[in-house]
Amino acid sequence: MATDYGQGYTHMDRPDFRGTDVEERRPHRLPAGLRAPVEARTWREFGYTMLSLPIGITSFVFAITMLSLGVGLLITFIGIPVLAAGLAGCRGIGALERTRARGLLGLDVAAPEPLRPKGGGPMAYMGAVLKSGASWRHVLYSLLMLPWSVFSFAVAIVFWAYGWLMLTYPLWFWLFPMYGGQDGIQLYGGDDGHRIYLDNPFEIGITAATGLLVTLATPWILRALTTVDRVLVYGLLGPSRLATRVVELESDRGVVVDTAAADLRRIERDLHDGAQARLVALAMDLGLAKEKLAEDPEAAARMVDEAHGEVKVALQELRDLARGIHPAVLTDRGLDAALSSLAARCTVPVQVEVDLTSRPAAAIEGIAYFTVSELLQNISKHSGARNAGVDVWRAENRLMLQVTDNGTGGADVSAGSGLAGLAERLDAVDGILVVDSPQGGPTTITAELPWRQP
């Protein structure tokens, strides 16, 4: 079963807050907590936090200056271009921040919706900048970045510096008596002259152990800090939900149109090569039988009998074609009976369980039917399974389908197989396809569809 099943997750593209690193996907002998301080991800996140402060100061000063100047000059015409220039500059800062987040945090955020000036010229561009919600979100990011970057910079540098300093204290504590004029790190100093230094082996060991704990905790503190940065970048510098949804709907519309065109071509081809050709041959046979009716009645009867057989075959082909468009059993009796009919035609024994108290919309019901139909065809052709199962149920506002088999597994949805096309069809109606097919099996394919009332 190596060609038509895939292993993975297919759905609408959305940015991921977490980011991933190649070294994190490789097997390690050390636990994550011990190797985190020296991982590349930790150093990148630390570098991101350190850079945030100067960039935050620059963006805050720029945004405040341009906004204040633009608003103050609005009583004159000059205020409008100044304000537009400030918003455009903030959009440029946002592009820099998306690039920085992509390189250091592994966060890939798409650019916001482009400006659409109504006409040409600078006035149209300024109007588009001022009316764009994305521009104002970039301004808000520039204003919020400074207080957050000050906090995250202070926390990161304190934990990072003190952790490594205490951890390496046994290596450099000798500098105090030699160059500092004291016995070690001063832990306490009173007005009476009493002072406590960390200078004996036990105290030095305790300091190093404390530094180790702080150093081990620092990467997770950095990840918590950069999670807020990820949220800010994703929420304020990326496209709005409405714009993202419009792009998704445009893509889904293209998939639906292509699918409908392909189905029409398939139906036309099946009619032309199947039933139509048989009906033409039937008409010719009946014409010859009519000519021979008076001369040779027996030959004419044989030809009519052959034509009768051709009619039966043509009717069966038309019934199969109609079932491929939309089966009558699905319309009349619902998914339970329709899926049972599919299971009966599968070359592998299939157990069907449908737990639905009501029927979804006809369009969703049809998609569910053809999804199971294609998956069962894959099982028949490629799985090498001894048995399979189909489960259908409703989970809140989703219609759930699960098809399992005990075949050889090892399928890959990214290989451009028929399963990839099925995933695209589900995605066109906000559906999800999840495939779990390890080498050696078993294979479990779960599909989600939105539940829509008829």
Side-chain angles (χ1 to χ4, degrees):
M1 196 173 184
T3 58
D4 251 60
Y5 284 173
Q7 189 170 10
Y9 175 87
T10 303
H11 193 30
M12 296 175 288
D13 295 333
R14 292 189 177 95
D16 186 1
F17 282 169
R18 297 168 295 176
T20 56
D21 291 292
V22 175
E23 65 268 17
E24 290 181 348
R25 295 192 295 268
R26 296 172 180 168
H28 291 277
R29 295 181 180 180
L30 287 176
L34 295 179
R35 68 175 186 269
V38 295
E39 279 186 332
R41 172 178 176 174
T42 301
W43 289 89
R44 289 197 300 267
E45 290 176 339
F46 180 70
Y48 184 93
T49 306
M50 295 298 101
L51 289 173
S52 292
L53 182 59
I55 295 176
I57 294 173
T58 304
S59 61
F60 182 88
V61 171
F62 174 81
I64 286 294
T65 302
M66 297 300 289
L67 285 179
S68 301
L69 186 60
V71 172
L73 293 175
L74 279 179
I75 57 175
T76 67
F77 177 76
I78 301 177
I80 295 177
V82 170
L83 194 58
L87 294 180
C90 289
R91 291 177 71 102
I93 294 173
L96 172 65
E97 287 299 280
R98 287 192 298 272
T99 302
R100 190 165 68 101
R102 185 180 303 112
L104 296 179
L105 300 183
L107 176 65
D108 192 3
V109 177
E113 55 273 21
L115 298 175
R116 294 183 173 88
K118 295 182 179 179
M123 292 301 298
Y125 178 79
M126 286 188 290
V129 172
L130 293 172
K131 293 178 182 179
S132 172
S135 300
W136 293 101
R137 291 200 307 273
H138 282 66
V139 172
L140 180 60
Y141 177 85
S142 298
L143 298 178
L144 292 178
M145 187 181 177
L146 177 60
W148 172 250
S149 62
V150 170
F151 173 80
S152 60
F153 181 92
V155 172
I157 199 68
V158 167
F159 275 87
W160 187 277
Y162 276 92
W164 285 104
L165 284 173
M166 288 189 293
L167 178 61
T168 59
Y169 184 52
L171 302 178
W172 57 271
F173 81 97
W174 55 271
L175 294 174
F176 283 97
M178 182 172 292
Y179 298 105
Q182 61 186 47
D183 295 334
I185 295 177
Q186 182 176 315
L187 187 63
Y188 171 80
D191 295 335
D192 56 357
H194 179 65
R195 293 177 175 84
I196 298 178
Y197 296 100
L198 302 175
D199 55 356
N200 61 59
F202 175 77
E203 293 171 346
I204 293 174
I206 291 296
T207 302
T210 304
L212 177 62
L213 295 177
V214 174
T215 301
L216 293 177
T218 299
W220 308 104
I221 295 173
L222 286 173
R223 293 187 185 184
L225 295 173
T226 53
T227 296
V228 178
D229 290 298
R230 289 182 171 97
V231 172
L232 289 174
V233 173
Y234 175 73
L236 297 178
L237 302 184
S240 64
R241 291 186 178 182
L242 178 60
T244 303
R245 186 59 178 158
V246 168
V247 172
E248 291 170 355
L249 290 176
E250 289 177 348
S251 176
D252 293 344
R253 180 182 62 184
V255 173
V256 170
V257 171
D258 293 342
T259 300
D263 289 340
L264 287 175
R265 289 193 297 270
R266 177 182 59 81
I267 294 170
E268 180 183 11
R269 183 176 63 252
D270 291 344
L271 283 173
H272 182 272
D273 297 340
Q276 181 179 344
R278 290 191 180 277
L279 291 175
V280 170
L282 174 62
M284 296 176 63
D285 291 343
L286 289 176
L288 293 174
K290 181 179 179 181
E291 293 178 359
K292 290 183 175 290
L293 186 61
E295 300 174 1
D296 190 354
E298 293 183 359
R302 289 194 302 270
M303 296 179 69
V304 169
D305 186 61
E306 292 175 357
H308 183 255
E310 288 292 325
V311 168
K312 291 182 178 180
V313 174
L315 287 175
Q316 181 61 41
E317 289 183 352
L318 288 174
R319 280 195 293 267
D320 293 339
L321 182 60
R323 186 184 296 114
I325 299 172
H326 194 84
V329 65
L330 179 62
T331 303
D332 298 338
R333 300 173 58 189
L335 274 175
D336 195 352
L339 297 184
S340 298
S341 176
L342 284 177
R345 296 198 298 270
C346 185
T347 59
V348 175
V350 181
Q351 182 179 359
V352 178
E353 293 186 8
V354 178
D355 183 14
L356 297 176
T357 57
S358 59
R359 296 179 63 174
I364 299 299
E365 202 172 48
I367 294 173
Y369 172 85
F370 288 110
T371 298
V372 175
S373 175
E374 184 164 344
L375 294 177
L376 290 182
Q377 289 179 18
N378 290 341
I379 291 175
S380 298
K381 295 177 182 178
H382 308 293
S383 70
R386 295 182 302 276
N387 54 69
V390 176
D391 293 323
V392 182
W393 71 96
R394 178 180 179 180
E396 296 180 354
N397 61 341
R398 308 289 286 182
L399 177 63
M400 308 294 296
L401 311 172
Q402 191 171 80
V403 179
T404 60
D405 70 76
N406 60 355
T408 56
D412 186 1
V413 72
S414 61
S417 61
L419 199 59
L422 181 60
E424 290 181 357
R425 293 192 181 190
L426 292 178
D427 187 45
V429 293
D430 287 345
I432 301 174
L433 188 72
V434 180
V435 180
D436 181 17
S437 181
Q439 290 289 344
T443 295
T444 301
I445 302 178
T446 305
E448 287 188 28
L449 289 166
W451 182 276
R452 296 173 186 166
Q453 292 297 129

